[in-house]
Structure formats: C-alpha cells, structure tokens
Amino acid sequence: MSRLPKTFERLNREKRAAFITFITGGDPDFETSLKILKGLPAAGADIIELGMPFTDPSADGPSIDKAAQRALASGGSLKNTLKMVAEFRHDDQETPIVLMGYFNPVYTYGIESFSTDAAEAGVDGLIIVDLPPEEDEELRGPANTAGLDVVRLITPTSDDERIQTIVDGASGFVYYVAVAGITGAQSSTAQIAGDAVQRIKKHTDLPVAIGFGIRTQEQAREMAKVCDAAVVGSAIVETIAADLDKNGKASVETASKTLEFVKSLAAGVRSA
Amino acid sequence: MTYTPNSLRSGPDERGHFGIYGGRYVSETLMPLLLDLEKQFEKAWQDPAYQEELAYLNKEYIGRPSPLYFAERMTEHFGGAKIYLKREELNHTGAHKINHAIGQVLLAKRMGKTRVIAETGAGQHGVATATVAALFNMECTVFMGAVDIERQKPNVFRMKLLGAEVKPVTSGSATLKDAMNDALRDWVTNVHDTFYIIGTVAGPHPYPKMVRDFQSIIGQETRAQILEKEGRLPDKLIACVGGGSNAIGLFHPFLDEPDISIDAVEAAGHGVDTDQHAASILGGSPGVLHGNRTMLLQDEDGQIQEAHSISAGLDYPGIGPEHVWLNEKGRINYVNATDEEAMEAFQLCCKLEGIIPALESSHALAHLARIAPTLDKDKIIVLNLSGRGDKDIFTVADHLGVEI
C-alpha cells in the first residue's frame, strides 16, 4: 500500500481535507527546488505533487510551462526528479509524493524501469495528464505492480458514464479538474465543484481532490469544505517565479518566501 | 468506400492505432469531445448530403480536380522516367491544405460549433482555415510561432485580411510544435464552442484518419487521371513529408498496389547526421506528443528537440502515425533532402516548367532529380506538387543573397 491511503485515513480521522501542493521538480534549479520540497510538509502540505519537467506541457498554463522551461534550462530531467524524491525520503518517510507530468519522458525512460525506479526513490503515485483511461493500461500494470497508484482526472466535460470509466482502474485518489481549461486558469466556485464531487462520490469510494484555479487562502478554505483534498499549483509556482532575478536565478530567500505562502494556504485548508 | 481485410488501407483500428502508433494521448477534458468527433465524422462521411456538399465545394470553390500535368521539359532534362506533377498548388489558397480545411469546417458546422482554431507553420494551413472560416462565417484564431510569423509575412497578412486573428506563440522554439501546444491549450479552454482544425495527419484519433480521408482525393483523382492519360497506373509516387498530409493524400489510394513504389521525402535541413533537421522517421525515435504516439525528434530524457528546415511547413519534430506504421511495414521508402538540395530543385522547377513550387514540395523535387534519371523512359513518376512558392520568395531571396 502506498502512503496515499494511509494519509487519507489519518486526515479522515482528523476530519479535515488534505492540502496538496504542486511544484515542478528542478524549478528554478535542483538545490532550491529540493529545499522547497523538503520544507513543504512543515509548511502544511499533506501530499506533494511534483512536476516532471517537459518541453511541451500542452495542458498547462504559462506559469507551469515557464517553470518546466526553467527546470530544463538548469539541467532538470526525469532522472533528477527521481533523485529529488530519493533525497527527500532521507528525512521524510510519511508525506506521499505524486509525480505529475506528461507521458513522453516516462515512455522514453522505459515504463518498467521507470515504475521500479520511481517506487524505489519513494514515489507513491503518478498523474500523467495526457494518458486518458483508453491509453493508460501499459503504464498502469507496471506502476501498480511496483506499488504506485495511478491517479486519474475527472473534468467538467465528464458525464456519468465517463466518470465510471475513469474511476474503474483509478487508485490513490481521483483528481477533479475544476475548470475545463489549462492550469492557472479561472477558478470554479465551491458550489459547482462541490456538486461535481457529490456526483463523483456516487461512483467511487476513492478520495476526491479538487484542483485548478485555487490561488488564495480563502479559495483554499472554501474548496476544502467540499472535497477530500485541495490542490494548489500555479499560485505556488508563481511565488517561486516572483522572487527570481532577471536571469531566472533564485535568491537566498526564494525557498523561505515560497514556504511562507504555502503556510498561509495551509491555514486556509485547515480552517475549513 | 469498402476496404478489403488486411489491407494497408484499413487502419486505424477501433481505438485509433496504426500498430502501436496513433491513439488518443490528450487531457481528459478533450476525451468526450474526441469520442463524439469520431462518431460525428463517421456519420457525416456516410451521409450523402455531407458528401454532396463536400463535392460541390471541392469543385466550385477549391477548383478540383487539380490537373495532372505532364512535365515535358523536366522529363527531357532528366532523360529518364516520364514525370507527372499533381498540381495541388493550383487549388484555391495555393496548397493541398484547403482539402481538409473544407471537410473539417463542414463537420464543425454540423456539430454546432461557432469558432474554429488552427495551428500553422508556413501559414498554408492557417490561410486555408481562415478562408473556410470566412466562407462559413465562423470566428477564427490561428496560432503561429513568432519565428514563423517573421518568415511567412505574406501569409500572416492573408489570414488577417480573411478576418482571422493570428496569435503569435513565443513559448519554446516559437515554431510549429509550440503553436500546436497553444492551440491545444485554447481548445481545452473553449471546448464547448470551438472546433480544432488540425493541419496534418497527426494529433489524437480521429484526426490522422479524418485528415487522410479528406486528402485522399489527391490520390483518387491521380488514379483516374493517369489511367486516362497513360492507360495504366504509375510506377512511382513521390511527395514531401513533414506531418505528412499531402503525402498520405496521394499515396493512400495506391497502398494496395504492390507494384507501385512510393517515396516520401523528409526535410534533412543541414543533414540528418547533424542536429539541424526535421526528419522524424530517419532521425527520430518513438514517443508521444500532441495526442499521438509517433516518431519524434527528442533527446534521451524524452524532451522534444527543435526541428530545422528551410521550409517552415516541414519544420515539425513529429510525423503522422500512419507514416511511421507504413515505414515499419516497409510499404513506403522514407528518404531525405537537405535545405540546399531543395533550393536547387526549387530553382530548376522555376526555370524548366515556369512553376514556382513551395519549398516543401521542393524537397520532393530534389528527390525526383535523383530518381528520374535512373528509371527507363517507359516508367511513370507522379510527384505531388503540394503547394506554390509565392509565400517562400523572401526565404529564397534571403538564401540567394538577393534583396527584394
């Protein structure tokens, strides 16, 4: 069993939603990114989504696209992302890490060896955004065998039949993309998202996370009231970007400023 | 159209795969739309009313059938096989792209969409999309790399005249692949009212099949025309291939004719052994990008590399999945031509035939120059002259050191 169900069971007992934070592995450089990663649990992250940088992140908005390009420019790669996870695990055996990204780097790495290497590094789950249920079989087998959950996405365009197709075979949790669009786009309302979560819960017992468009403490609080986990990505990545100099280099404060912002969001989730 | 079992023309399978290639690798938001699009396309394709409207527009608006022209001077010059040029450059808007743009806009209309988007490299597909959007009174946005906007100014101006919004794409290498990323981002955001008119036989299923079926009119006409002129089918077909739409359009109706040899010419830029080319089959490896599994230019970490070709229309790091499958089957020979070879062929075609070919098609002409002299005079070659070169005169002038 991966760390995901354990974490959701614990939070369920505490009667609160999980706070999931997203950063891109290696953004803006390996050291700063690792420092942020290591600081996330203390700042209030219950689960960490770690982006695998890719040249062509066509489901992401400008913020996460730029984060990926920064990571790649400073030597980011799938191998280095796994290395970050391994280093994180030296100090933290509790916090689940879910890798988020696109299929091509995984496919090129080799699906079998990627699955075993990722599990060995301490990864718990995978979100591959361009791998719909129709195409994810070749990854799911090896990933599940290695002990990794494959998290699937549900969107506002998914009808009941589609939701059933998606939850059959998903594990860890399901991720409700609250807006039909790219990351960082306009947010949904807690009312609309909450209705969708209720619809999804008719099809599955898996925890339901909500992402896309949560940017403030207040939004985090509202969303956390209607789901099992609230995901914040672009807003955190933008905090990293805001502290970089014009050459894209981090300052000594980049990590601490980012973690401060994460703390404020975590407070929102915890007060829901 | 009826297919025989095990025919090379029967792909893709029901999940949109050609062997292991093709498929639907997109974000979940787009899946319901793609599943619906597949159904709507099959329904429309079987609908006589749809076929009638398509046939009418092909004839009266595009100007089809395009001529199959015997290139007498070129034939004499090379001293080998008889050379025929399929004159797609004579189509309305100057290239084969209008063939699939018309088909797709008719589908968009049937699906109740009010807005179309497209990506474009050289601008030919963008112009074709802007044209059909004007014709059907639809809002139109074309994504184009900032680099390509600079080198294809006349086409940018054409799109604007036709009422389209041209959105410069500055992410990544600011060329065709990045324009496709931004088009996908727009599509996923406006999925309720927007139809994505994809410009080649790539992207998620059903696009590779759909665009192929629209483009196959090239090969179907060629069959009838060559039978009328020569009383038999050709010995060899040649076309350039970037994404591969003009090539599959000419080739597809001939795939089950084992005696016809087929050559597809990739853009080798400065050479396939350099890191400056656009030859995905000859110089790439399998991967997943823009909704399909195919051959890609990428590094060992699976990061997509920038393609290079003097022709903006071939400057893409991938290729349609059916091409990759046909390469594996050994049915089509994938060869290459460099920037230099294409430039030479471009000039030769201008001088010998009074036809200014697109730089894309010039790659096919460069290969023709190698092949034609080696074949006997009783052999017949058909080359797809996929587009005209007016749009390329600035690139050519620059290359020749001429100021215009």
Side-chain angles (χ1 to χ4, degrees), chain A residues 53-58 60 72 77-78 104 107-108 129-135 138 153 155 157 162 166 180-181, chain B residues 15 17 23-29 31-32 35 177 181 185 188-189 286-288 293 298 300-304:
Chain A
F54 181 47
T55 38
D56 294 73
S58 58
D60 285 298
L72 291 170
S77 65
L78 189 44
N104 196 54
Y107 180 67
T108 305
V129 294
D130 57 352
L131 215 49
E134 281 78 357
E135 303 287 358
E138 65 179 313
L153 307 175
T155 76
T157 61
R162 188 80 199 148
I166 294 166
Chain B
R15 286 169 62 232
H17 291 252
R24 274 178 296 234
Y25 296 85
V26 294
S27 56
E28 176 58 32
T29 310
M31 280 306 293
L35 294 168
K177 84 174 171 77
N181 287 335
R185 289 177 179 126
V188 80
T189 308
V288 172
R293 185 180 338 220
Q298 57 180 331
E300 56 191 23
D301 190 41
Q303 307 298 339
I304 308 304

Side-chain angles (χ1 to χ4, degrees), chain A residues 25-90:
Chain A
D27 168 34
D29 58 74
F30 187 88
E31 290 307 321
T32 311
S33 191
L34 183 61
K35 210 163 144 188
I36 297 170
L37 181 68
K38 284 184 168 178
L40 284 171
D46 299 303
I47 296 168
I48 296 166
E49 228 189 276
L50 187 62
M52 302 178 274
F54 181 47
T55 38
D56 294 73
S58 58
D60 285 298
S63 304
I64 292 178
D65 179 14
K66 282 183 188 143
Q69 309 307 333
R70 283 196 297 271
L72 291 170
S74 66
S77 65
L78 189 44
K79 267 196 184 108
N80 280 342
T81 309
L82 294 182
K83 202 172 133 196
M84 276 181 73
V85 178
E87 297 213 8
F88 174 87
R89 285 277 171 249
H90 286 316

